[in-house]
Amino acid sequence: MDFWQRYRAIDARDTRFDGQFYTAVRTTGIYCRPSCPARTPKAGNVTFYETSAAAHDAGYRACKRCLPEAVPGTPAWNLRSDIAGRAMRLINDGVINRDGVEGLASRLGYSSRQLNRILSHELGAGPLSLARASRAQTARTLLVSTAMKVSDIAFAAGFSSVRQFNETIGEVFAMTPSALRATARHHRAPASSTALTLNLPYREPFDPGIFDFLAVRAVAGIEEGTSRSYARTLRLAHGDARFRVDYDAGAAGRPLVLTIGAVDLRDLASLLSRVRRLLDLDADPVAIDGALAADPRLAASVAGTPGMRMPGAVDPQELLIRAMIGQQITVAAARTALVQLSEAGGESLVPADGLHRLFPSAAQIAETGFELLRGPQRRIDSVRAAAAAMASGELDFGYGDDLPGLESKLLPLAGVGPWTVGYVAMRVIGAPDIFLANDAAVRNGIRSLYPITADPITADPTTGGTALAGAALTPDFSEVSPWRSYATMHLWRAAAAAQAAARKQPPTPKKAKQ
């Protein structure tokens, strides 16, 4: 977006752009979200910033009226595969809190000096400033949503001391932590509660079908899902954790409520980031749906299920194992195999509500877990080899990779092909433009949504069978780029719905022998 496109957005107070850029006003010294209800400033007094950290570094304070930190994140970090996008995914996951700037730079293959120069040029702020803004946002969320002690919030948000926390809150929000807490607009969990309860901001519309996607793949003892909720255990850097997300479509504001049953406070920021990635809460559904609806093969599905999300992953290594086991078999068969494999995982140190086990680590799978798998020996050997490579550190991938990087790391593995890499890219790094053309469910989904064609990948739906070369609609759905991952989600949903409908139909009676 150029200056005047952004200025028109703030003049219209368009909430779709909240979190995607920030408006700083020189005459007031504050920065706002695009939908701020205050009077639109003169264009000559406005500067736009990609990140709140850049506005902080330029000397601006957060607006107390519109609270620009209380918005969903920008979808740009998944759209961008450059160093800036990869760095922001890692910063949001808490890498700087755990490993420092040197650790972040090492993961990205740059020196800390080079990385600082790149991020300052691309985003207007260096890695420390970006991490500081992320900590401030986490701290604000905890202050207004929970009754946690201020000292606990300071360390949970990633600050090294309470003094540093107080100074940052004062500089960013021009308020003390106590005053910021007093601005809370929602009921806070009582201090006696052992769980943390937070509302997760997102851009509407939101299709809760993502819960069905997770529920049918849930591994008993580790995960639990319904059509409106999802809960699981997981292993984080400093210990075991457990969380639950509930969606209430009937309540005011249709809240997504995150209940954290257990977590080491040092892992809290990372957990919040991973839950948001899991549910794709930083997506811009209006932009995505607008592009998909223009394709006649998807128009009806988009109209029926606006705001469809692309599920992420809370553990990249786990997701690779699940993808390798699940390829070329049904979802039900994959879940059966994963339930068997889960016996190799250890007991969670924070069990509750039937969630008592952790998904086995790469080391556990490589050592003994592979023996629990059934099926072709080649697939079992491939899973074991991949697990061993991850356990030894030979294979290291995660949220900071881009698609070419994932391909270079994963394709050399036995048992990993383009489908596996594409699926991992969709769910781990949130790659928005993946189309799994050879996926059986994708083909079935096209037949279900647009049944004119004989072969949905190689035939032209406008002629009933002519190859698509030069036709209006392409077989790889390039018309909806860069949102083909979301097209894939619609096709999977259509295929699953068609399969469910077929199961409900009574069997065709056999003809009597003559």
Side-chain angles (χ1 to χ4, degrees), residues 99-442:
D99 304 327
V101 175
E102 291 290 343
L104 173 66
S106 176
R107 287 172 181 251
L108 296 171
Y110 287 82
S111 69
S112 57
R113 184 175 179 180
Q114 287 174 311
L115 182 62
N116 186 74
R117 185 169 62 249
I118 291 170
L119 296 184
S120 295
H121 175 73
E122 293 289 332
L123 304 179
L128 283 176
S129 295
L130 292 165
R132 178 173 176 258
S134 180
R135 293 180 194 127
Q137 185 171 17
T138 300
R140 192 210 71 83
T141 298
L142 296 175
L143 281 168
V144 302
S145 303
T146 75
M148 289 174 63
K149 295 179 181 178
V150 170
S151 58
D152 288 342
I153 290 176
F155 295 110
F159 292 97
S160 59
S161 68
V162 175
R163 179 179 178 181
Q164 184 189 62
F165 164 75
N166 288 334
E167 290 175 351
T168 298
I169 295 299
E171 291 172 8
V172 173
F173 301 106
M175 285 188 274
T176 64
S178 298
L180 183 56
R181 168 164 273 171
T183 67
R185 298 175 180 176
H186 304 289
H187 173 71
R188 294 197 299 268
S192 60
S193 174
T194 57
L196 296 178
T197 302
L198 310 169
N199 279 0
L200 298 173
Y202 62 91
R203 295 181 180 87
E204 294 197 75
F206 177 80
D207 171 44
I210 191 170
F211 290 109
D212 290 317
F213 183 97
L214 296 172
V216 298
R217 292 162 174 80
V219 178
I222 298 172
E223 302 167 281
E224 181 184 69
T226 71
S227 62
R228 291 295 186 273
S229 68
Y230 176 74
R232 71 161 293 164
T233 62
L234 72 158
R235 184 185 297 104
L236 294 172
H238 297 99
D240 300 349
R242 188 184 72 257
F243 71 86
R244 178 185 180 90
V245 181
D246 293 279
Y247 176 67
D248 189 349
R254 293 182 288 277
L256 270 172
V257 180
L258 169 64
T259 302
I260 302 174
V263 69
D264 186 300
L265 289 180
R266 293 170 293 179
D267 291 325
L268 183 55
S270 177
L271 177 60
L272 293 175
S273 174
R274 294 188 187 199
V275 171
R276 294 194 63 81
R277 293 190 66 81
L278 177 69
L279 300 178
D280 197 17
L281 298 185
D282 293 333
D284 183 354
V286 173
I288 296 167
D289 288 354
L292 299 185
D295 190 304
R297 294 167 290 189
L298 298 170
S301 180
V302 173
T305 53
M308 189 175 290
R309 305 300 167 119
M310 180 172 64
V314 295
D315 185 327
Q317 292 191 353
E318 173 189 322
L319 196 280
L320 174 61
I321 295 297
R322 297 177 79 134
M324 293 180 70
I325 290 175
Q327 57 193 352
Q328 298 181 340
I329 60 176
T330 65
V331 171
R335 183 167 65 175
T336 298
L338 289 166
V339 169
Q340 294 168 343
L341 181 63
S342 71
E343 295 296 323
E347 291 294 312
S348 171
L349 298 178
V350 289
D353 304 323
L355 302 177
H356 60 90
R357 192 182 297 280
L358 295 169
F359 193 88
S361 66
Q364 289 171 326
I365 295 171
E367 291 169 6
T368 59
F370 71 94
E371 298 173 351
L372 300 171
L373 294 174
R374 299 293 179 265
Q377 189 61 43
R378 173 180 283 185
R379 185 175 68 190
I380 295 173
D381 292 342
S382 298
V383 170
R384 183 185 186 186
M390 291 187 289
S392 68
E394 178 185 350
L395 175 60
D396 184 15
F397 69 98
Y399 304 118
D401 282 289
D402 56 11
L403 182 57
L406 278 180
E407 290 173 338
S408 67
K409 293 177 180 180
L410 299 184
L411 284 177
L413 298 174
V416 172
W419 183 94
T420 316
V421 175
Y423 184 73
V424 171
M426 287 173 64
R427 297 201 56 186
V428 172
I429 63 174
D433 202 27
I434 301 294
F435 184 69
L436 303 175
N438 293 324
D439 185 272
V442 166

